[in-house]
Each structure stands twice: as structure tokens, then as C-alpha cells.
Amino acid sequence: MSIAVLGAGAFGTALAVSLARKGPVTLWARGAEQVHEMAESRENARRLPGVKLPETLTVTSDIETALSAETLLLAMPMQQMAGFLQAHAEALAGKTLVSCAKGIDLATGQGPTGLIRAHVAGARAAVLTGPSFAADIARGLPTALTLACTDHSEELQAELSTPTLRLYRTTDTTGAELGGALKNVYAIAAGTVIGAGLGESARAALMTRSFAEMQRIALALGARPETLSGLSGFGDLVLTCTSAQSRNFRLGRAIGSGEGFDPSITVEGVATAKALDRLARERGIETPIAAMVRALTEEKIGVSEAMQSLLARPLKEE
């Protein structure tokens, strides 16, 4: 099968590089200037510097060329996905569409597979998610991810696996996409804890209670508990809550320390916190940490107030 990666950010480029080590892959970027730079230098210096693009990787800004592939990896920000799917619905019809985005659509409250099914006729919707940083994948460091698809996905699993990128499959698309989306919210909280100097014990407690919230939300929305305990849930939570490579963690650390943060950097957890808090209120699901993250990112409360609010909650059984 032919493969194209749509989106030449760090993660999309890393996936394209990894897959191109097996065979031909197309990487699509919006800007012709960026494509020209990458084609000339054989490097995505803007997003993934220091990583050479294999000769088997073709870079293009021609969307029609990219959409001719049979399997398309959608490596774009979650809040841009619905518009992209609507704009190219006819060309995408009947294709295998693998979302690499982690988030919840603000306008509809849907995850990526819901958007794919809503906008593209006959598409096979899948999710690729889990604990991974672009630089690790691109450098060929061992990485394991979850591939979620409701149908029999052994063929797709083999197609997208590489010697250093190991995929585990599941049919629980709801659990996989929720795990990948929700952990971003809690990574902001973990970063805030560290930025505010509250200590490692506080971070451990925060991560544990965050995982309880993730499970509570996901199960209420129809996910399977074992999915949240796997790579796309617990695994991704651990990675993003403990590493400064995570943009969500870095934003939280900036909030906690009172430092500025580059507004041009996409931080999916901000929009997800808003969507999640709204969804939880509608469903009557208790999510105090997510609510505090939304309030912090919207500058409605300060770090000290958020901490006191969480610590003052009634004592309960674990």
C-alpha cells in the first residue's frame, strides 16, 4: 500500500522518516517554501533539525499528489482536522485515514475518528497514539504506540510498524483517542506543579489522581478500562507529565513559575481542557483537576488558588 503523511510538523516528519526507512513515503506540507527548503537540504530544519530525510521520502505541497496514496496519516493539530476533512472529503472517500492528533474538537466535542466518520464517506478511521516524542521516532529509538481501528487491523498494523516503531492494536478507538487527548490536560497540571516548586511528591500525587480522572471520563464515554491502562493512556500520561520535551508540560511549568510562553507553539491540552470541562459538566462527571487546568490556562485563577482548591476538597476513599 502507498503511504502519505499529511502535515510536516515535528511528529508528522518523524513518522514519515521512520516509515520511509521501509519504503517510499510522501510527506505533505502546506507551504511551498518549506517544501523547497526540505527538498534541497533533505532536512526539516524548521520542525525537526538534525534529522536527514531518507531518499525514499518525497516531500510535496501538492495536496492532490499526497491524497493519491491509499493510507493517509493525518498529522495535523486537532482543531484543524474538521476543516481539512470537509475541504477534501471527496478525495478522501474510501481511504484509510489514520489520525495522529491528540485532542477533542472544540466545536463538536468529538475525537478524530468521529470527525472522520462524520465528514468522509466510506473512510476507514484509525488512531495512532501513545507515548512518543518526534525526535525519538526520527532517530530510530525504540518506541511503542497503540493503533486503534474498529475493524480487523493486522494488515494496517504491519504496514505502519517498523523495526524500531512497535505498534499494538486495539479495536477500542474511543479509549485510545481519549487517552491521547486527556493526558495533555494533566501534563499541563504536572508542569504547573514543578514550575511552582511544589515537589516530586506532589507531582506523583497529581499524576495518580489525574489517571483516576482519565479512567472516570473514558469509562463514562464507553472506553474499555484496559485501554486506559495501556500505552495510549497510562503510558502517554507518564511520558508527558515527566519530560520537558512535552509542550503541554512546558506550558504548565511556565504557568507555575510565572514565566512567559511562546504563543505560536501549539499546545493541544489548552483546547482539550476547555472541551473536557464542558463535556464533564454536561455529563455530571467529576473532574476537579481538569477544571483547574482550564481555569489556569484561561487565567481565571492563580496557581496558589488552584492548589488550595484541590487540597481543600472533602476527604474520601481512594
Side-chain angles (χ1 to χ4, degrees):
M1 289 187 181
S2 53
I3 300 174
V5 179
L6 307 182
F11 195 70
T13 302
L15 286 174
V17 167
S18 181
L19 291 167
R21 292 181 180 133
K22 286 178 58 178
V25 173
T26 299
L27 175 63
W28 173 78
R30 292 181 185 275
E33 182 181 348
Q34 183 187 8
V35 167
H36 177 73
E37 290 174 2
M38 288 191 287
E40 287 291 313
S41 66
R42 301 307 298 171
E43 179 183 357
N44 187 348
R46 298 187 186 189
R47 301 296 185 184
L48 198 63
V51 175
K52 287 299 179 183
L53 305 182
E55 291 302 318
T56 48
L57 178 58
T58 300
V59 186
T60 183
S61 59
D62 181 3
I63 189 62
E64 292 185 5
T65 297
L67 294 183
S68 67
E70 298 166 281
T71 299
L72 303 170
L73 277 62
L74 308 180
M76 59 192 64
M78 185 64 200
Q79 304 311 319
Q80 296 178 13
M81 187 171 293
F84 181 88
L85 294 172
Q86 288 175 310
H88 303 288
E90 185 175 348
L92 294 170
K95 304 246 181 207
T96 296
L97 305 182
V98 183
S99 169
C100 305
K102 297 178 179 181
I104 297 172
D105 181 57
L106 270 174
T108 64
Q110 292 182 306
T113 57
L115 292 180
I116 291 170
R117 296 187 187 104
H119 296 301
V120 184
R124 180 191 193 192
V127 178
L128 184 63
T129 185
S132 55
F133 288 133
D136 293 346
I137 293 175
R139 291 167 57 199
L141 299 180
T143 305
L145 298 176
T146 295
L147 176 67
C149 187
T150 55
D151 65 9
H152 194 60
S153 57
E154 287 186 15
E155 181 183 359
L156 186 60
Q157 179 187 30
E159 181 185 11
L160 299 181
S161 294
T162 76
T164 56
L165 185 62
R166 181 177 176 84
L167 305 189
Y168 289 82
R169 70 180 184 275
T170 179
T171 57
D172 183 12
T173 56
T174 299
E177 63 187 18
L178 282 174
L182 301 183
K183 59 86 185 179
N184 285 333
V185 177
Y186 301 111
I188 294 174
T192 303
V193 165
I194 297 304
L198 301 180
E200 294 293 345
S201 297
R203 172 159 57 178
L206 183 282
M207 289 173 62
T208 304
R209 297 313 305 164
S210 293
F211 185 55
E213 275 195 23
M214 287 176 63
Q215 291 180 306
R216 192 155 56 239
I217 299 158
L219 294 181
L221 296 177
R224 299 200 296 261
E226 62 268 25
T227 306
L228 273 295
S229 297
L231 291 165
S232 61
F234 178 73
D236 216 352
L237 179 70
V238 170
L239 183 69
T240 52
C241 286
T242 58
S243 175
Q245 289 189 65
S246 164
R247 292 169 293 180
N248 293 279
F249 178 87
R250 294 201 307 273
L251 172 64
R253 188 176 61 185
I255 292 172
S257 63
E259 299 174 356
F261 190 82
D262 185 351
S264 69
I265 298 175
T266 300
V267 182
E268 291 282 13
V270 175
T272 303
K274 184 176 182 179
L276 171 58
D277 186 45
R278 185 171 61 200
L279 180 63
R281 292 175 188 274
E282 291 172 353
R283 299 292 189 100
I285 306 169
E286 191 177 27
T287 57
I289 299 173
M292 288 301 105
V293 171
R294 178 181 182 179
L296 282 169
T297 56
E298 294 180 350
E299 299 183 346
K300 292 180 178 178
I301 61 171
V303 175
S304 178
E305 184 182 353
M307 179 186 69
Q308 291 172 5
S309 177
L310 290 173
L311 290 176
R313 286 172 50 77
L315 299 176
K316 56 186 286 188
E317 289 186 2
E318 187 171 24

